[in-house]
């Protein structure tokens, strides 16, 4: 018996949908029963067998998916609200899909969910690789290669943000600058590799003595800086003293030798400006003030704190 035109059309449509290199499925909007799954879907998730969409297409689901988009597909009157496009990583295959969801009328008149999902895993992997490369490049641009501390560029970027926040909330912030005394003699007497070893150890001593919220950097050469949020001058002076002692009491081991080192420190705080009736200083002003204090220590023989 020949097929009716309706059967012929239905067969043709099924053939078309089964030939697509994309997932196509239809599910009841209320019961979630999977009414149609094309060949692409059947080959990856198996036969529907009267199961609900979340039982077939996802794993470890005890009920409708929390990420189900059905609520996006109907308007306040219960009618189709148009196409909703989103991206999702399938919990069974681990593949990424771009999904185009829409509420349509099924052959029996009920409103059903139609989803066409195209595999975009290659694109997502490329995007993720590019993002990882961007983050790595950003980290390299902001990181001192030798010590793995923030570099001068990162210190200014982060420090200016920190000072803006301190100004906004009326909180103090302090800056410690220090550089190593007679560092050139270490390079001249023991070689640049020895000097590098000293710088690495100083960076480690510095980062191990500060808080996560503090911003520490190697500004260049043997010069370092630490910006301390929510810190008053006595607290900053206390940290500078700890670092001063740690540097003096922990010579760097290099090629069987102990390389002693001391440092000169300058400490300043935003409170100094505020108490004097001035506006909140910018980072350059703090650095200049700390640098002047540091220079006064050097004029007086180095190896101290001002």
């Amino acid at each position: 018996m020949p097929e009716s035109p309706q059967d012929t059309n239905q067969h043709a449509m099924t053939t078309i949908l089964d030939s697509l290199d994309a997932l196509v499925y239809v599910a009841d909007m209320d019961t979630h029963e999977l009414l149609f799954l094309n060949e692409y879907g059947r080959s990856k998730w198996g036969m529907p067998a009267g199961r609900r969409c979340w039982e077939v297409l996802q794993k470890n689901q005890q009920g409708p998916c929390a990420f189900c988009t059905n609520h996006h597909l109907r308007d306040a009157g219960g009618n189709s609200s148009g196409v909703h496009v989103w991206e999702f990583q399938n919990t069974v295959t681990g593949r990424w899909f771009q999904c185009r969801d829409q509420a349509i009328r099924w052959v029996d008149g009920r409103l059903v969910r139609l989803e066409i999902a195209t595999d975009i895993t290659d694109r997502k992997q490329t995007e993720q690789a590019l993002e990882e490369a961007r983050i790595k490049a950003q980290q390299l641009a902001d990181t001192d290669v030798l010590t793995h501390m923030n570099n001068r560029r990162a210190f200014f970027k982060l420090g200016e943000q920190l000072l803006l926040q301190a100004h906004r909330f009326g909180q103090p912030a302090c800056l410690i600058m220090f550089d190593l005394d007679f560092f050139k003699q270490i390079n001249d007497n023991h070689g640049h590799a020895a000097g590098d070893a000293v710088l690495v150890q100083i960076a480690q001593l510095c980062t191990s003595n500060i808080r996560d919220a503090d911003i520490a950097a190697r500004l260049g050469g043997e010069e370092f800086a630490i910006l301390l949020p929510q810190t008053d001058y006595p607290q900053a002076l206390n940290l500078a003293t700890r670092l001063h002692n740690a540097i003096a009491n922990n010579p760097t081991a290099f090629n069987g030798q102990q390389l002693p080192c001391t440092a000169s420190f300058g400490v300043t705080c935003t409170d100094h400006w505020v108490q004097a009736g001035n506006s909140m200083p910018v980072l350059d002003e703090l650095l200049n003030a700390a640098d002047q204090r540091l220079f006064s220590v050097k004029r007086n023989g180095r190896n101290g704190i001002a």
Side-chain angles (χ1 to χ4, degrees), residues 183-195:
F183 182 71
K184 185 175 182 297
Q185 293 181 8
I186 296 176
N187 284 329
D188 291 345
N189 296 334
H190 303 281
H192 286 280

Side-chain angles (χ1 to χ4, degrees), residues 253-264:
F254 180 77
N255 285 347
Q257 303 177 75
Q258 296 292 316
L259 305 179
C261 184
T262 61
S264 300

Side-chain angles (χ1 to χ4, degrees), residues 137-192:
Q138 184 69 40
Q139 291 172 339
L140 289 173
D142 289 343
T143 302
D144 177 64
V145 175
L146 176 64
T147 63
H148 303 297
M149 299 179 75
N150 292 310
N151 60 18
R152 188 181 191 89
R153 174 180 182 272
F155 184 75
F156 271 85
K157 180 173 66 176
L158 298 172
E160 286 167 356
Q161 294 173 355
L162 187 152
L163 287 180
L164 284 173
Q165 186 174 18
H167 178 60
R168 181 180 304 165
F169 294 103
Q171 298 169 337
C174 289
L175 177 68
I176 298 173
M177 281 187 69
F178 68 94
D179 70 11
L180 307 184
D181 300 326
F182 305 109
F183 182 71
K184 185 175 182 297
Q185 293 181 8
I186 296 176
N187 284 329
D188 291 345
N189 296 334
H190 303 281
H192 286 280

Side-chain angles (χ1 to χ4, degrees), residues 54-130:
W54 49 268
E55 294 175 312
V56 177
L57 300 174
Q58 306 300 333
K59 68 176 180 180
N60 301 326
Q61 287 293 128
Q62 303 303 315
C65 304
F67 46 80
C68 180
T69 62
N70 279 356
H71 61 287
H72 291 295
L73 309 183
R74 290 184 283 201
D75 60 23
N79 299 309
S80 175
S81 58
V83 177
H84 177 71
V85 181
W86 61 300
E87 294 179 0
F88 177 71
Q89 187 175 23
N90 183 256
T91 57
V92 175
T93 65
R95 307 286 293 179
W96 278 93
F97 291 86
Q98 183 185 73
C99 308
R100 295 179 61 87
D101 299 347
Q102 186 174 7
I104 63 170
R105 292 292 172 185
W106 194 232
V107 291
D108 57 9
R110 59 178 150 166
L111 206 61
V112 297
R113 167 199 181 98
L114 168 67
E115 179 169 287
I116 302 173
T118 305
D119 192 316
I120 58 168
T121 302
D122 290 345
R123 193 197 84 193
K124 292 295 288 189
Q125 289 175 344
T126 299
E127 289 175 354
Q128 290 169 350
L130 288 172

